[in-house]
Amino acid sequence: MRKRRTKLTASWLALALLMVSLLAPSAGAQSAAPLQVSAQGKAWGIGTNYETAVIDLRITNLYVDPARNNTISPWVLQFDFNGTIESVAGAVITAKEGTRYTLKGDTDTDLSYGETLELRITTTLNGSSSASFQNLTLRPEVIAAPWRWLGTYSVNDIVEYNGIFYKAIQAHTAYATNWTPVQTPALWQPVSIESYSYSTSVDVELDIIESWTLGGTYTAGQIVFHDGSFYSCVQSHTAHAPNWYPGPQTASLWKKTALSFQLNP
């Protein structure tokens, strides 16, 4: 009898330990952040009138919002950036307050779950050799409009009423003042939507193209920037004389070239 009781006790103990291991979250079981962000670029002419940086910013949307079919539409991007942005391929700048930029899509305004937004940003860095995007937030342009009398709604429209979000479950016009979401469960159902309050930051993997300098040591194939143009070093050397700068007079040392902007694989 004692052996049987010992076996039962051991079995119950093993079962309890199994339940604890199943219920306890593992160390690596944290939910993914709603954004995955990376940035890389090239910069040249730092601190001169030619200063330029071209940065590819990639943002993958991982927001989960069933009320919107997990799609941000239309999207708005906001971030803090210390440089002066001249243009953005794939978006337009709609506002700038201090270092805070607001961007909207120029063509494709929908961003589904798992889809990546790719923006090419041309900017100056104000003399800095580094760059970062701070407090970056990707969100819908309008998260939810207040419910209103005589408003016309389509299925899946989201409204806010008395601090609660509702989704329209049938198309209608709110003809009566008492057709509020609270009083018309045949028209509306409460939903929990993503607040889109998550922000992240990312440093730019920045490749600095050196400007030619007197006394600099250069290797064959190296790219430098000088007087508004890029040059490739023809043979390794040290620039001992002031007139050894890249140009027609130093064709044996330098060859004018174009810079590749294939930043992302």
Side-chain angles (χ1 to χ4, degrees):
M1 184 68 179
R2 181 174 296 174
K3 284 186 178 180
R4 188 158 180 257
R5 186 176 300 158
T6 302
K7 281 187 176 180
L8 286 173
T9 301
S11 298
W12 279 109
L13 182 59
L15 181 60
L17 290 173
L18 177 61
M19 292 298 294
V20 168
S21 66
L22 292 174
L23 293 174
S26 63
Q30 299 176 354
S31 59
L35 295 178
Q36 286 183 351
V37 184
S38 64
Q40 62 180 135
K42 295 181 185 290
W44 58 90
I46 302 299
T48 72
N49 292 334
Y50 296 104
E51 181 176 302
T52 306
V54 176
I55 299 171
D56 280 357
L57 178 63
R58 295 168 57 89
I59 308 167
T60 301
N61 169 34
L62 296 177
Y63 280 113
V64 175
D65 186 350
R68 295 175 180 269
N69 296 319
N70 298 331
T71 299
I72 298 178
S73 174
W75 60 263
V76 169
L77 177 66
Q78 293 179 303
F79 53 74
D80 291 304
F81 185 77
N82 285 324
T84 302
I85 296 178
E86 305 294 339
S87 64
V88 183
V92 293
I93 300 172
T94 60
K96 181 181 184 296
E97 297 181 8
T99 62
R100 187 73 173 169
Y101 286 86
T102 300
L103 281 63
K104 290 175 59 176
D106 57 1
T107 53
D108 185 4
T109 59
D110 294 350
L111 201 65
S112 303
Y113 180 88
E115 189 175 354
T116 298
L117 177 64
E118 300 186 8
L119 302 176
R120 173 156 288 182
I121 298 171
T122 302
T123 179
T124 59
L125 301 178
N126 299 332
S128 175
S129 59
S130 63
S132 64
F133 296 92
Q134 301 290 322
N135 305 314
L136 187 150
T137 303
L138 184 69
R139 61 171 178 79
E141 184 175 17
V142 178
I143 294 178
W147 178 88
R148 61 183 181 86
W149 172 49
L150 295 180
T152 297
Y153 300 103
S154 302
V155 175
N156 292 327
D157 278 355
I158 306 295
V159 299
E160 182 270 334
Y161 185 76
N162 287 347
I164 299 175
F165 297 106
Y166 295 86
K167 179 174 72 172
I169 55 178
Q170 62 173 297
H172 68 283
T173 298
Y175 291 113
T177 56
N178 64 348
W179 282 23
T180 66
V182 173
Q183 296 172 289
T184 53
L187 301 178
W188 299 97
Q189 68 178 23
V191 292
S192 175
I193 72 170
E194 169 62 56
S195 66
Y196 297 92
S197 61
Y198 175 84
S199 292
T200 188
S201 299
V202 62
D203 292 328
V204 181
E205 296 178 16
L206 201 56
D207 178 18
I208 303 294
I209 308 300
E210 292 183 22
S211 293
W212 181 90
T213 57
L214 177 63
T217 298
Y218 303 100
T219 58
Q222 181 178 352
I223 305 295
V224 300
F225 182 76
H226 178 69
D227 198 26
S229 298
F230 298 100
Y231 294 85
S232 175
C233 181
V234 175
Q235 60 175 303
S236 300
H237 68 282
T238 297
H240 293 296
N243 63 348
W244 283 22
Y245 61 83
Q249 78 287 353
T250 54
S252 62
L253 299 178
W254 298 102
K255 177 178 65 176
K256 201 174 220 183
T257 188
L259 188 63
S260 171
F261 290 104
Q262 298 299 317
L263 302 178
N264 289 320

